[in-house]
Amino acid sequence: MIRLVKDDLRPPATPPKRHLLSVGDLTRDDIDRLLGTARTFAAALERHVKKLPTLKGHLVVNLFYESSTRTSSSFELAAKRLSADTLTVKSVGSSVDKGESLKDTALTLGAYDPDVIVIRHPQIGAPQLVARVTDAHVVNAGDGKHQHPTQALLDLYTLREEFERLDGLHVAIVGDVLHSRVARSLVQAFALVGIRATLVGPPALLPRELPAETTVDIEAIRDADVVYVLRMQNERMEPGANFVPSLREYTARWGITPERLRPGQKVMHPGPMNRGVEIDPRVADSSDSLITAEVRSGLVVRMAVLYDLLTGGPVGVQALAAAEVA
Amino acid sequence: MLWQKELPAADLVIRGARVLDPVEGIDARLEVRIDAGTIAEVAERIDANEHRVVEADGLILAPAFVDPHVHLRTPGREDEETIASGTAAAAAGGYCAILAMPNTDPVVDSAVTLAALVETARREAEVPVGFLAAITRGQRGEELTEMGELADSGAVAFSDDGVPVASAGLMRRALQYASTTDRPLALHCEEPTLSHGGHVHEGRVAAELGFGGYPSVAESVAVERDLSLAGYERGRVHVLHLSAAESVDALRRARVAGVTASGEATPHHLVLTDDAVRSLDPNVKMNPPLRAEQDRLALLEALRDGTI
Ligand SMILES: [Zn+2]
């Protein structure tokens, strides 16, 4: 009897459509395939093929309930580069603003028969809701503090382009892990591909019981191949929150400065950066910074995700690779 | 005091059921005769005579349950629940009596509001229902309600359920004054500066999914505080919806030390853990949250040994 109750709480059986809701949905094979497709697209873009006809006639809807220039424009451009039609709905100035529920918005947009809905929402699980009520493939572009799977994929892509491998790398993730969907997605993704992760930050910003190495000691970044700097979100630092005594103190003890890095140690950041807070401008602009590479990776990885969802995965990728060669 | 609507007293004979009564030590296929709403005979074979016969083959017949923690949402949220719908659900679920919490809109903090509820219960309630009244006016945690008048009007206990009484000083005054009414305080134990409005246990699941964690200690420090105060003032307290192993330990220790305290746990805290939150079903986010397996086992143990 008890079992029955538990099973009732599980989401309905395997969804008929493929979605990208969480890194947890991916296998190692999925990741290798997606990164391979992304590399194919990068090669095509380098040959000044700015636009591929691949997704002509498909509709990609971007539904953004949180302000985000970089992620929404990256998805929009990715869709356009693949010749898909795009429709971007932002919460400001739309019926979303007038108190329409997410479910009703999703149903309304669903009536246009979109092939993909890309959603960012402050509530954990919002993409799962959209996936349940529409027929579209759903891509999670960030839900609360939960997941941001395309960020993890673009970071894996960036790392692989830089190091030509993923297995055995060691990445230190530094800063506000507690409030970071990027960190959560990365920890899962790193585990899948054999990257060692060390989480570093002030105690109140490291979640308890996250299955990963954690330390408050900033010296721990020295052993890592890459230092991945998380954004210190000002809104988390309201007076009275007391996660840290002050941003000034945070910077002094956990800020990433040239002095804290080994020569040649690579640095990443999901953006937008607070220069002078979590990352010293000299670090951000140094030749060891992979930050602009991450932005470029974002475009081709999101193209790969859209392509993969709409063309049924491995078979499609092989066909594309063949076409590119020919 | 409990109220319900006038119902014709039934004359029944129930046949074919497996009769279970742990208190009397009964587990057998027996027949039960009810005369004018009261159990008159339990035997292997009973003549129906003029009684209506209920065929209950394959069913279990057991003493009805009592639920001391129900939200009937009346007044104010009749769209969610009414006295009629809530008591009908209770009857369907096998409950012979329920007690309703006072965190309604308006809060049950005056004899007038309580009297209106009693009036409605007399017209609509399908099973006997009793009402708690608030500890503080508007459940704002600032001023005590007029507990004497509320008790005289039928309040069975006092509770600010839904929110904790944040001030230790006010809790002490509530314990002192409630003792003059011979009614217990039913306590929602939560330290709000530690729970932060969370609905997911602070543990691995919250860490992985990104939910703001509501740690066990947010409950247990409040339980410890209130039990200490109850011991000091010799008050009577009932700790509502226990969820954490540490809280259960505190209650067990206080009872051994002679504090007049009881406690409860919900069925869902006895059968589910925070693992259920991985489904992202909002129905499994609650206050207090579903906790870890060790907490669930501690609640079951406390149920077995009578702490709960
Ligand atoms: Zn409560």
Side-chain angles (χ1 to χ4, degrees):
Chain A
M1 290 301 274
I2 291 166
R3 281 268 155 244
L4 269 180
V5 174
K6 273 196 153 180
D7 286 342
D8 282 349
L9 294 167
R10 296 234 164 76
T14 328
K17 287 256 174 178
R18 296 191 308 133
H19 307 289
L20 181 55
L21 303 178
S22 161
V23 173
D25 299 341
L26 298 171
T27 62
R28 174 75 205 242
D29 282 351
D30 291 328
I31 288 176
D32 288 339
R33 185 179 76 246
L34 286 164
L35 299 190
T37 312
R39 180 174 263 179
T40 311
F41 285 135
L45 293 180
E46 261 167 37
R47 291 201 308 273
H48 303 287
V49 187
K50 289 287 183 220
K51 203 158 173 158
L52 301 163
T54 326
L55 297 184
K56 212 172 167 75
H58 288 92
L59 175 60
V60 175
V61 170
N62 287 317
L63 183 53
F64 274 68
Y65 285 78
E66 279 178 1
S67 60
S68 150
T69 318
R70 53 178 66 216
T71 306
S72 70
S73 49
S74 174
F75 269 108
E76 193 169 339
L77 189 57
K80 290 198 157 114
R81 286 278 151 92
L82 292 169
S83 304
D85 296 322
T86 61
L87 176 65
T88 298
V89 180
K90 300 203 173 179
S91 65
V92 181
S94 67
S95 54
V96 165
D97 234 11
K98 295 168 193 145
E100 188 177 57
S101 76
L102 172 62
K103 184 177 172 183
D104 286 333
T105 305
L107 288 172
T108 305
L109 293 170
Y112 297 127
D113 257 342
D115 298 284
V116 177
I117 295 178
V118 177
I119 175 169
R120 168 166 293 188
H121 197 281
Q123 297 286 338
I124 294 171
Q128 279 78 0
L129 173 75
V130 174
R132 271 199 299 278
V133 302
T134 71
D135 289 329
H137 299 275
V138 176
V139 178
N140 181 358
D143 64 326
K145 293 173 271 163
H146 181 210
Q147 279 280 319
H148 191 0
T150 59
Q151 178 73 42
L153 287 168
L154 75 87
D155 286 325
L156 291 182
Y157 181 85
T158 309
L159 286 165
R160 209 186 63 177
E161 291 302 295
E162 179 65 30
F163 293 93
E164 292 175 347
R165 68 187 169 105
L166 294 172
D167 275 289
L169 289 178
H170 180 196
V171 179
I173 301 175
V174 184
D176 182 0
V177 178
L178 183 70
H179 298 108
S180 174
R181 56 189 168 215
V182 174
R184 279 189 183 82
S185 306
L186 285 176
V187 166
Q188 277 185 311
F190 287 177
L192 270 174
V193 301
I195 293 177
R196 175 179 163 202
T198 304
L199 309 180
V200 187
L205 294 175
L206 295 174
R208 291 167 77 100
E209 297 185 43
L210 199 65
E213 270 177 61
T214 57
T215 173
V216 297
D217 182 8
I218 191 66
E219 290 298 317
I221 69 173
R222 287 208 168 257
D223 301 334
D225 300 298
V226 178
V227 178
Y228 195 104
V229 191
L230 297 171
R231 179 178 159 75
M232 270 309 267
Q233 305 191 14
N234 290 325
E235 59 269 29
R236 307 282 180 213
M237 295 301 130
E238 290 158 357
N242 286 315
F243 289 111
V244 289
S246 68
L247 281 180
R248 194 174 141 265
E249 170 122 338
Y250 174 84
T251 305
R253 302 189 70 191
W254 289 278
I256 301 303
T257 58
E259 295 73 32
R260 290 204 159 120
L261 294 170
R262 275 187 289 108
Q265 205 171 12
K266 301 296 174 191
V267 175
M268 297 170 79
H269 190 297
M273 283 183 279
N274 295 306
R275 286 167 178 267
V277 180
E278 71 268 9
I279 188 165
D280 188 301
R282 290 171 295 167
V283 172
D285 299 330
S286 83
S287 58
D288 290 321
S289 159
L290 302 178
I291 296 168
T292 39
E294 289 177 87
V295 179
R296 273 197 302 277
S297 306
L299 175 64
V300 290
V301 162
R302 288 178 178 121
M303 287 170 75
V305 166
L306 295 175
Y307 177 82
D308 197 80
L309 289 175
L310 289 175
T311 56
V315 179
V317 174
Q318 280 158 17
L320 175 88
E324 287 297 326
V325 171
Chain B
M1 273 176 272
L2 303 175
W3 291 274
Q4 78 179 123
K5 71 180 182 188
E6 291 267 3
L7 291 167
D11 291 323
L12 299 175
V13 169
I14 302 170
R15 285 190 173 142
R18 176 180 170 194
V19 177
L20 271 181
D21 183 346
V23 175
E24 297 290 325
I26 301 173
D27 179 3
R29 182 178 275 257
L30 293 168
E31 300 187 353
V32 177
R33 193 180 90 231
I34 292 153
D35 293 348
T38 303
I39 295 171
E41 188 183 0
V42 179
E44 292 205 353
R45 176 80 196 135
I46 297 174
D47 286 332
N49 296 328
E50 298 299 297
H51 285 37
R52 185 158 74 85
V53 175
V54 176
E55 298 294 349
D57 285 294
L59 303 180
I60 288 173
L61 180 62
F65 300 113
V66 171
D67 190 338
H69 189 151
V70 172
H71 295 275
L72 293 176
R73 304 298 182 209
T74 303
R77 287 307 302 268
E78 289 85 351
D79 57 311
E80 286 193 342
E81 194 82 272
T82 62
I83 290 176
S85 73
T87 54
Y95 289 79
C96 66
I98 61 175
L99 299 180
M101 286 294 168
N103 58 334
T104 49
D105 182 15
V107 167
V108 184
D109 60 1
S110 72
V112 177
T113 310
L114 181 55
L117 284 173
V118 168
E119 216 24 68
T120 312
R122 280 189 168 137
R123 278 197 321 274
E124 295 183 1
E126 302 285 344
V127 298
V129 57
F131 297 95
L132 286 84
I135 295 171
T136 67
R137 290 175 204 238
Q139 296 190 318
R140 285 186 297 272
E142 292 162 3
E143 300 161 273
L144 295 180
T145 56
E146 291 166 330
M147 292 182 185
E149 188 182 22
L150 285 161
D152 292 343
S153 306
V156 294
F158 298 100
S159 180
D160 275 5
D161 183 42
V163 286
V165 176
S167 155
L170 186 64
M171 177 59 74
R172 180 188 182 193
R173 293 285 179 246
L175 285 161
Q176 290 173 326
Y177 196 76
S179 70
T180 68
T181 68
D182 198 28
R183 300 287 192 281
L185 298 183
L187 302 174
H188 171 120
C189 290
E190 172 184 358
E191 172 49 54
T193 62
L194 293 173
S195 59
H196 284 300
H199 294 97
V200 180
H201 172 59
E202 183 168 284
R204 179 162 173 173
V205 174
E208 285 185 22
L209 296 180
F211 286 106
Y214 180 155
S216 294
V217 72
E219 176 179 280
S220 62
V221 295
V223 171
E224 299 264 12
R225 183 199 78 171
D226 289 351
L227 291 173
S228 298
L229 288 168
Y232 186 67
E233 293 296 346
R234 300 182 187 285
R236 264 171 74 196
V237 295
H238 174 71
V239 186
L240 297 169
H241 45 58
L242 288 159
S243 68
E246 295 84 345
S247 310
V248 172
D249 282 347
L251 177 59
R252 189 180 286 116
R253 273 186 277 112
R255 285 164 60 93
V256 168
V259 179
T260 314
S262 57
E264 67 179 31
T266 75
H268 33 289
H269 286 91
L270 294 174
V271 297
L272 295 174
T273 66
D274 61 346
D275 208 36
V277 178
R278 290 189 191 278
S279 68
L280 300 182
D281 180 341
N283 287 317
V284 295
K285 288 162 51 184
M286 62 193 77
N287 181 5
L290 298 173
R291 297 203 183 275
E293 180 65 3
Q294 79 219 39
D295 298 299
R296 189 183 77 84
L297 295 176
L299 292 173
L300 282 176
E301 183 52 38
L303 184 63
R304 275 192 206 102
D305 74 14
T307 304
I308 287 176

